[in-house]
């Protein structure tokens, strides 16, 4: 079974702090994605990566950055956390590079609260 | 702009009732369509997907969806829901050019025993 793990289930940070959310997948997938999930808005894509050291902006990249130094790990960084970044963050991975038909496998999510 | 819209935000049904959740997409070219489900406390997981061929696709747990190109719709159906179907359901679409998924707003389904 594909396993996507995220470093924390719950996280509480203060405004202005730098926040790192880590995601690891164990199935040698090419693609990795970061979403945020908010009630009534569904999932919105923040950043994604089709390969190591490669990243592309999603639909809402402002205030976020990412790092992919190894194929299995994709990190989301909030340079200076703000209260409007309080949300559920979901990481996902899929097999084929840029393949639109591949199922995405999701992690359990990190619920981030910024005070 | 590409978008996916789910019409029902919160649906409440009794067990054995039939279910239909609406999903419309706006994409210019070939589109790949998905329904994902998130059971309480669990990961988001794939229910079913459509790429081409038979427009009626069957998924896990008795769910099916019909792709109607002329209506830009991909509605999810189940003839008889169970209490265990209580979950949030997301419709999603990806263009053939990229692997990016665009999700709808989600529909919360509550099934009363």
């Amino acid at each position: 079974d594909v396993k996507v793990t995220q470093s924390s289930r719950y996280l509480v940070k203060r405004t202005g702090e730098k926040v790192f959310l880590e995601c690891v997948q164990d199935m040698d997938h090419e693609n990795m994605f970061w979403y945020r999930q908010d009630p009534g808005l569904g999932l919105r894509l923040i950043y994604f990566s089709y390969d190591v050291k490669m990243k592309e902006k999603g639909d809402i990249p402002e205030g976020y950055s990412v790092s992919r130094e190894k194929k299995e790990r994709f990190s989301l960084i909030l340079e200076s956390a703000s209260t409007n970044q309080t949300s559920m963050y979901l990481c996902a991975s899929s097999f084929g590079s840029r393949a639109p038909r591949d199922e995405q496998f999701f992690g359990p999510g990190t619920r981030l609260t910024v005070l | 702009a590409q978008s996916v819209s789910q019409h029902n935000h919160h649906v409440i049904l009794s067990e054995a009732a039939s279910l239909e959740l609406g999903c419309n997409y706006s994409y210019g070219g070939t589109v790949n369509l998905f329904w994902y489900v998130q059971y309480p406390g669990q990961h988001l997981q794939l229910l079913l997907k459509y790429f081409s061929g038979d427009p009626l696709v069957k998924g896990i747990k008795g769910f099916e969806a019909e792709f109607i190109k002329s209506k830009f719709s991909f509605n999810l159906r189940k003839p008889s829901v169970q209490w265990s179907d209580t979950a949030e359901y997301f419709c999603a679409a990806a263009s053939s050019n990229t692997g990016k998924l665009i999700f709808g707003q989600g529909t919360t389904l509550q099934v009363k025993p």
Side-chain angles (χ1 to χ4, degrees):
Chain A
D1 279 351
V2 174
K3 195 169 183 183
V4 179
T5 56
Q6 295 183 229
S7 50
S8 306
R9 291 300 302 271
Y10 300 93
L11 211 52
V12 179
K13 295 292 181 180
R14 297 211 172 271
T15 301
E17 279 192 79
K18 191 169 185 176
V19 181
F20 292 88
L21 302 182
E22 305 286 341
C23 174
V24 177
Q25 50 93 4
D26 67 358
M27 283 300 292
D28 203 34
H29 282 175
E30 301 285 339
N31 310 319
M32 296 189 76
F33 307 85
W34 274 107
Y35 297 90
R36 60 177 285 176
Q37 181 181 6
D38 299 289
L41 297 178
L43 278 73
R44 293 178 291 167
L45 183 63
I46 305 171
Y47 267 96
F48 58 106
S49 169
Y50 289 134
D51 202 352
V52 176
K53 295 192 184 294
M54 173 261 144
K55 60 186 179 185
E56 291 192 32
K57 292 180 179 180
D59 301 314
I60 52 164
E62 297 78 19
Y64 304 94
S65 63
V66 289
S67 172
R68 193 166 180 200
E69 296 295 320
K70 293 184 178 181
K71 191 175 185 179
E72 67 271 17
R73 188 180 297 270
F74 193 36
S75 304
L76 179 70
I77 304 155
L78 287 66
E79 294 290 342
S80 177
S82 63
T83 54
N84 63 12
Q85 292 178 310
T86 291
S87 187
M88 173 70 86
Y89 290 88
L90 296 179
C91 176
S93 71
S94 66
F95 178 66
S97 185
R98 297 182 185 271
R101 298 185 173 187
D102 287 348
E103 174 184 356
Q104 289 190 17
F105 293 87
F106 286 83
T110 295
R111 186 166 293 282
L112 172 67
T113 302
V114 182
L115 302 175
Chain B
Q2 297 166 342
S3 66
V4 175
S5 178
Q6 294 179 239
H7 318 298
N8 321 98
H9 298 298
H10 197 164
V11 173
I12 302 173
L13 295 174
S14 298
E15 274 194 315
S18 64
L19 171 72
E20 180 159 4
L21 301 183
C23 173
N24 285 93
Y25 64 92
S26 65
Y27 270 76
T30 303
V31 65
N32 305 289
L33 297 162
F34 304 80
W35 276 96
Y36 282 83
V37 62
Q38 189 172 33
Y39 298 103
Q42 295 189 26
H43 302 194
L44 207 67
Q45 59 185 286
L46 183 69
L47 258 185
L48 48 78
K49 57 187 177 183
Y50 171 79
F51 303 140
S52 63
D54 188 345
L56 185 65
V57 292
K58 295 191 183 299
I60 60 172
K61 303 188 181 186
F63 285 91
E64 64 180 31
E66 185 175 12
F67 170 60
I68 303 180
K69 190 174 181 179
S70 60
K71 295 184 177 180
F72 297 91
S73 70
F74 189 56
N75 292 355
L76 182 71
R77 300 196 292 247
K78 186 171 184 179
S80 175
V81 294
Q82 300 173 317
W83 176 80
S84 58
D85 293 324
T86 293
E88 189 159 17
Y89 293 81
F90 294 93
C91 182
S95 75
S96 294
N97 299 327
T98 73
K100 285 174 55 176
L101 274 181
I102 294 180
F103 283 83
Q105 304 92 324
T107 298
T108 301
L109 171 65
Q110 183 182 353
V111 180
K112 294 183 173 180

